Amino acid sequence: MEKVTNTHCKVHIDSLLEYFCVDHDQLCCQYCRKKHLSCQNIMSLASASEGIQFSHTVSDCMKQLKALDGTCQDIINNRDHCVAVLQTDVRRLKETLSKNCSIDELENSLNEKLEENLKTLLNEKQYAYHLKREIESAHERIVFTTTHGTNEQVFILIHTFDWKLKQLESNIGNAIEGLQNITISVEDCEGKKDTSKIITVQRNPSEIIYRSAILSQAQTPSQSAATLQVFQYHSRINATGKAITGMTVTDQNVLLLCDYKYCGSETVSAYTDTGIFLKAIKMPGPVWDVAMIPGSCKAVVTFNSKILGFINTNKLIPMKSKPVLGSKHLAGVAASQNEIMVGDMGIIHFLNIHGQHLRYLKIRGWAQYLSFGSNNRLIYADHDSINCIDLSGSDIFKIQIQGENMHRKIVQDRRNNIYVTGRGTNSIQRLYADGTLDRLVVDVYNGVIDPLAICFNKDHDKLYVSNNGEKSILVFRCS
């Protein structure tokens, strides 16, 4: 992957791109600009690119890539399903062949048809994987450039990326157009000698479609998110730490990981959501938990001490740490657009987004982890219970999960359902927003052993889980 975007003109290779012609939607160097002297809207690249990293242009591009990636995965899953159906059809047909048929000849014909169609399905699946790798590479390049590059480099990358998106959309559209669901059947072969006329291969158009993320967003009215029902193991992300006690994702879907115990380097590690390591961010102490401040490019970090750390999530660099008045052992952290909430022994501190102390609430126990929902309720976990309070400190509910005495990280989904990490039960369990127990989400049978931390990605279609002592993060697909 290229480190950052090349800012040199492709025509005048020794000249830098320094201007943008709005009239012609074209990047220009000092020599290209001479062809646009009559144009009314020529801007410096610095002006044109201001604020690009957090613009709708970048987020729309990421959404389109995500939609394309999802369609490729649909193709892969569909081809796998067709292979399974085809193999099942042929196996059952072999088991029920009529005694009146030339069985050996018919089996040979079936095997030939099976091999021929399996080859087609495999080729279609491999092409979908090829397109998926292209999309993931493009996504990683955008994440890397928005993280490490200048505004000008981001602008150039996104501007020149339009043709790539159109090419990918065209390739996926052509791939879908040729997809067919395949089944095989055998007619009654009594009195028939030609087995090729007995075997029927049926082909029907696939139900897979591609919808542009931007068009879907424009055409679909806003609705409440559906409750997630399926959590399927997808992959692992190799991580440097062995005790990931805190994790969150940035607006660019960069995964931030806190390794509290084993790393010793006092760092927050940053990865793309596909597992590419980006940077180790040096912090002033062993890191415990981390949370994004919504609508900002800032994350807040705790250390089980009396100070708060901050990270610029745009550049992935540390910011100045702040002591918290009256604190003892700051642990769990959550944030709204206006306030930071930090768990302590018997106290939850409220600070403004710059780290200045505003007020505190007295609580029972030690708030090792916090989660703040869109319903303005604050959930906190101590060792043996999950507690919910409103912002005035009034109790709403308290629940103790059977067999669990080591609660860890808690998160909420878009419907304010609560996901609880349980070391005692080796599981992630879900509570409804009112605190009643809903269901087991994943457990030891899904690879969850002594879990410490969880988080969703921005779109809530991936769930990340860390296990104590493992140098990897489990990734589950959610739907």
Side-chain angles (χ1 to χ4, degrees), residues 94-336:
K94 287 180 179 180
E95 292 171 353
T96 58
L97 288 175
S98 170
K99 294 180 180 180
N100 295 320
C101 297
S102 176
I103 294 177
D104 290 341
E105 185 179 350
L106 190 55
E107 281 197 2
N108 289 337
S109 296
L110 277 171
N111 289 334
E112 288 175 7
K113 294 291 185 183
L114 178 62
E115 185 176 347
E116 175 189 336
N117 286 285
L118 287 181
K119 184 177 180 180
T120 298
L121 293 169
L122 179 60
N123 288 338
E124 291 169 342
K125 178 181 175 179
Q126 288 177 334
Y127 183 58
Y129 267 123
H130 167 73
L131 292 176
K132 186 176 174 66
R133 285 191 292 269
E134 277 194 63
I135 293 162
E136 289 173 349
S137 175
H139 179 273
E140 287 163 8
R141 188 178 177 196
I142 292 173
V143 170
F144 189 92
T145 305
T146 54
T147 302
H148 298 284
T150 63
N151 284 342
E152 289 88 343
Q153 288 168 328
V154 175
F155 186 90
I156 292 169
L157 175 62
I158 297 300
H159 184 268
T160 55
F161 201 70
D162 185 54
W163 72 270
K164 182 66 174 177
L165 277 175
K166 290 177 180 176
Q167 182 185 48
L168 286 168
E169 285 186 330
S170 175
N171 289 341
I172 288 177
N174 290 336
I176 291 173
E177 189 175 346
L179 294 181
Q180 294 179 321
N181 295 333
I182 305 170
T183 56
I184 292 180
S185 60
V186 174
E187 298 178 17
D188 187 354
C189 54
E190 186 174 358
K192 297 180 181 179
K193 296 181 180 181
D194 187 354
T195 58
S196 64
K197 295 181 179 179
I198 298 171
I199 299 172
T200 302
V201 178
Q202 295 177 319
R203 304 175 187 275
N204 298 303
S206 168
E207 65 276 8
I208 294 175
I209 58 173
Y210 165 69
R211 290 191 179 94
S212 167
I214 307 306
L215 288 176
S216 298
Q217 181 176 309
Q219 295 171 1
T220 304
S222 176
Q223 296 178 345
S224 298
T227 298
L228 298 170
Q229 299 297 338
V230 179
F231 297 84
Q232 184 176 18
Y233 173 79
H234 177 259
S235 60
R236 286 179 181 261
I237 293 175
N238 293 326
T240 55
K242 290 175 67 178
I244 306 300
T245 54
M247 62 171 77
T248 192
V249 292
T250 70
D251 286 343
Q252 286 76 36
N253 262 339
V254 171
L255 189 61
L256 301 179
L257 305 179
C258 297
D259 181 30
Y260 181 68
K261 187 175 181 182
Y262 295 97
C263 187
S265 60
E266 302 176 342
T267 59
V268 172
S269 299
Y271 294 80
T272 68
D273 66 340
T274 56
I276 304 299
F277 176 74
L278 294 173
K279 195 172 184 181
I281 307 164
K282 177 70 175 175
M283 301 304 293
V287 289
W288 176 259
D289 198 13
V290 60
M292 278 298 299
I293 300 175
S296 76
C297 59
K298 186 189 292 187
V300 57
V301 183
T302 59
F303 311 94
N304 259 332
S305 67
K306 297 181 179 182
I307 63 170
L308 278 185
F310 294 90
I311 294 172
N312 181 323
T313 58
N314 182 11
K315 294 299 183 182
L316 296 179
I317 56 175
M319 302 168 69
K320 186 177 180 180
S321 299
K322 300 285 183 70
V324 176
L325 181 68
S327 62
K328 298 175 183 178
H329 296 282
L330 302 176
V333 62
S336 66

Side-chain angles (χ1 to χ4, degrees), residues 12 31 40 52 84 93 154 172 206 218 259 282 343 358 369 384:
H12 310 97
Y31 300 108
Q40 299 295 314
I52 182 69
L93 289 170
V154 175
I172 288 177
S206 168
D259 181 30
K282 177 70 175 175
L358 300 175
Y369 288 100
D384 60 1

Side-chain angles (χ1 to χ4, degrees), residues 393-409:
S394 299
D395 293 331
I396 298 175
F397 66 78
K398 175 180 179 177
I399 183 171
Q400 293 176 298
I401 296 175
Q402 185 175 2
E404 186 57 71
N405 59 1
M406 288 191 290
H407 296 109
R408 284 296 182 261
K409 185 80 172 177

Side-chain angles (χ1 to χ4, degrees), residues 404-417:
E404 186 57 71
N405 59 1
M406 288 191 290
H407 296 109
R408 284 296 182 261
K409 185 80 172 177
I410 49 177
V411 296
Q412 297 181 65
D413 62 22
R414 288 170 171 167
R415 294 181 67 88
N416 295 121
N417 296 312

